[in-house]
Each structure stands twice: as C-alpha cells, then as structure tokens.
Amino acid sequence: MTWQRRINGALVKFTGVQLTRARPTATPSSEGQAPAPAAEELVRPPADPRADRLLVAPVFVMSPVRSGSTLLRSMLNAHPELHAPHELHVRRLTVGFGTALSRKAMEALGHNQADLEHMLWDRVLHRELVRSGKRTIVDKTPANAFAHARIAACWPDARYIFLLRHPASIAASWYEADPVKRTREEAASDALRYMKAVQRARKALTGLTVRYEDLTAEPERTTRAICDFLGVPWEPGMLAYGEQEVVRKGLGDWSDKIRSGRVQPGRDLPDPDEIPDLLKPICRSWGYLPKEEGR
C-alpha cells in the first residue's frame, strides 16, 4: 500500500472525506474529443468560391417538421434536372483538428474550423449530386432552418423555397408521428420551435414561399411556380412521383400517403377554436388567421 493510499484511508476513517485525483479537462484538440462548434463570428463566405466550392446554386427547402417537405422533395426529385434525396443533415457534420499542430497548419492556409466544415458539407452534397447524374441538388432537412445563416454563408448563391403549412396541422401531425414520445401540448411547443426558425430564415433570406395546402390542392399550378423560380421546365411526372427509394423513420415522412407515389389531398384545416393558443400568433403571421385589430 502506497503512502497516498494510507493517508486517504486515515482521512476516510477519521473524517469521512476521501481525496480523488482530478481528471484533466478535455479540450477540442484532445484525441477522440468532439470538436467545439464553430464560433458564429468565425462563420464566413468562401474565400475563393471557384476553388472552395464544387456546388453551384444548391436549393434548400426551409420548412418546419411535418409540413409536407417529403412530398415536395419527392415531387422535385421526379424532375430530370433536380436531385432531392432524403434528409441529409449535413449541418451536423463537424471537423476536428486532432492536434494543435494540425490547427496551426490549417490556419497557415487561411482555414478556420467553419471553413473546413463548409468544405466538407459542399463535398458531401456535390458527391451525391454527381452520382445522381442531375444538375441541381435540393436539400429539405427541416433542421436546416436553425442554421440558415451558416448555410447562406457557405453557399452565397444558394436558392431557398420556404414551405409553410397551417401550424395547427403541423402540430397535430407531429403528435401523430409518435404519440408515445410527446403529448399534444409538447408536440405543439416543439413544432413551434421549427416554425419560428423558418420565420427567421424568411426574414433573413430571399426565396419562394409555398403553402402545403396549395401543393396538395393545386399541385400543377404550384409546381409550375416552383419550376419557374428554379429556372427549369415543368415536368408532368412531378405529379406522379412514384415509389421512393428511401422511406425510413428519421429521414422524412414514411406514411402511406408518401408511399402511394401520388399527391394526396391534405387534411381539413382546423376551425379557429381548435387552434392551441400557443400557435395563434404564428397562424396570424402566416395568414392562417386574421390579424388582430390594432396590429
């Protein structure tokens, strides 16, 4: 028994206190440690777009959860020029330097962590696009709305489609997707986070706003407007998009409506008195309820 253990044993016996060795504080440069998120002030456009980016004018669908984004991406993917795969979540891909020396080497090249992450995101999407054989990639991951500023910095030439749906319908669908996981109240509160993120993105970015109710009620007129916005000819095959290669929980909607391969009617809109109070302000902001007098 070492002298340290003998002393510790005596402390426990007479005072009830035991000394333990302090563990070293983990740092982003430690081996095996997850890198810290890039600081917002270090997020910047590509220094040399021609060398730093392979993608040209990617398209991002900014939408809340359960807003019909899987339907929209399925219709867009049926277009011969548009590749709209399942949710990609590239904003969650990070890089780590591993050692202080690698960080120093990248800084000497003019790259910070955000720069390298943006290159990684671009490379992943570009590879997916090249393998599809199409011209333009469309990413519809709902959580992208929370990172709209970084996406805009990463791809200054990106284009945006904002997909809206009646907030109460979003909340109801979010609850029905997993009623064991969340109550109706929790579903409304959680879905509202996404709605607010989309609202912030709409204020910060320029793009085309599309409503799910129009997409399902008048799919041809709505998809024609989208094609005009994207500068591609309209394709009738978008209305009968066919069987999807990826229909899996966690990567978009996996319901029977999506599996049908055709546009299905949306649910009836809720009566005003059925809308949770929590969602009424965003309903007014999006035009699903009349604005209150004096506002």
Side-chain angles (χ1 to χ4, degrees):
M1 179 181 294
T2 65
W3 66 270
Q4 294 100 328
R5 293 178 62 185
R6 287 197 298 269
I7 293 176
N8 215 9
L11 282 171
V12 173
K13 181 178 180 180
F14 293 106
T15 68
V17 176
Q18 182 175 359
L19 300 178
T20 59
R21 184 186 297 273
R23 295 183 178 181
T25 302
T27 63
S29 61
S30 300
E31 289 291 338
Q33 297 295 326
E40 200 64 32
E41 62 269 18
L42 298 181
V43 175
R44 54 198 181 190
D48 186 349
R50 291 179 299 177
D52 295 349
R53 296 292 179 270
L54 299 176
L55 280 180
V56 176
V59 178
F60 293 90
V61 176
M62 296 288 181
S63 67
V65 291
R66 311 302 294 183
S67 58
S69 60
T70 299
L71 172 63
L72 177 57
R73 79 97 179 158
S74 300
M75 299 171 76
L76 295 177
N77 194 51
H79 195 287
E81 295 186 26
L82 305 175
H83 180 50
H86 61 77
E87 296 174 7
L88 298 176
H89 298 273
V90 292
R91 81 177 187 97
R92 293 297 189 184
L93 300 179
T94 61
V95 301
F97 293 100
T99 66
L101 189 58
S102 66
R103 180 188 295 272
K104 184 176 181 180
M106 291 300 99
E107 289 176 349
L109 295 178
H111 303 315
N112 63 27
Q113 181 178 338
D115 296 333
L116 297 174
E117 287 174 351
H118 290 173
M119 290 182 186
L120 173 61
W121 300 357
D122 183 76
R123 183 66 181 88
V124 170
L125 293 185
H126 183 262
R127 177 183 183 274
E128 178 63 23
L129 178 62
V130 170
R131 295 182 71 204
S132 75
K134 296 185 178 183
R135 295 180 55 187
T136 301
I137 195 162
V138 181
D139 183 10
K140 71 91 175 175
T141 308
N144 280 346
F146 293 103
H148 69 270
R150 283 201 68 178
I151 289 173
C154 180
W155 294 284
D157 61 346
R159 294 168 291 175
Y160 305 94
I161 299 172
F162 303 104
L163 178 62
L164 308 185
R165 186 184 185 184
H166 195 298
S169 297
I170 291 175
S173 181
W174 193 222
Y175 166 74
E176 293 163 5
D178 197 340
V180 175
K181 184 176 181 180
R182 57 183 76 89
T183 65
R184 289 188 181 276
E185 292 74 19
E186 290 169 340
S189 178
D190 191 35
L192 183 59
R193 293 191 306 111
Y194 286 86
M195 299 179 214
K196 289 182 176 179
V198 171
Q199 188 73 339
R200 291 192 293 269
R202 290 180 71 204
K203 290 181 178 179
L205 305 172
T206 300
L208 176 70
T209 296
V210 175
R211 294 182 184 271
Y212 169 78
E213 293 81 7
D214 295 335
L215 186 64
T216 54
E218 300 180 276
E220 179 175 339
R221 183 182 66 83
T222 306
T223 52
R224 282 185 180 277
I226 294 172
C227 287
D228 288 344
F229 172 70
L230 297 179
V232 296
W234 182 74
E235 289 286 336
M238 299 173 72
L239 306 184
Y241 53 82
E243 183 178 350
Q244 297 300 291
E245 294 181 2
V246 178
V247 182
R248 187 182 309 162
K249 186 174 182 178
L251 295 177
D253 191 0
W254 60 96
S255 66
D256 290 339
K257 284 187 176 182
I258 293 297
R259 294 175 186 271
S260 72
R262 299 186 66 88
V263 180
Q264 302 292 319
R267 70 174 71 203
D268 294 335
L269 295 183
D271 293 329
D273 57 0
E274 296 175 339
I275 301 173
D277 290 341
L278 178 69
L279 300 179
K280 287 182 178 178
I282 196 82
C283 285
R284 295 188 184 97
S285 179
W286 287 3
Y288 288 99
L289 281 177
K291 293 186 180 295
E292 295 180 334
E293 294 185 5
R295 293 191 178 184

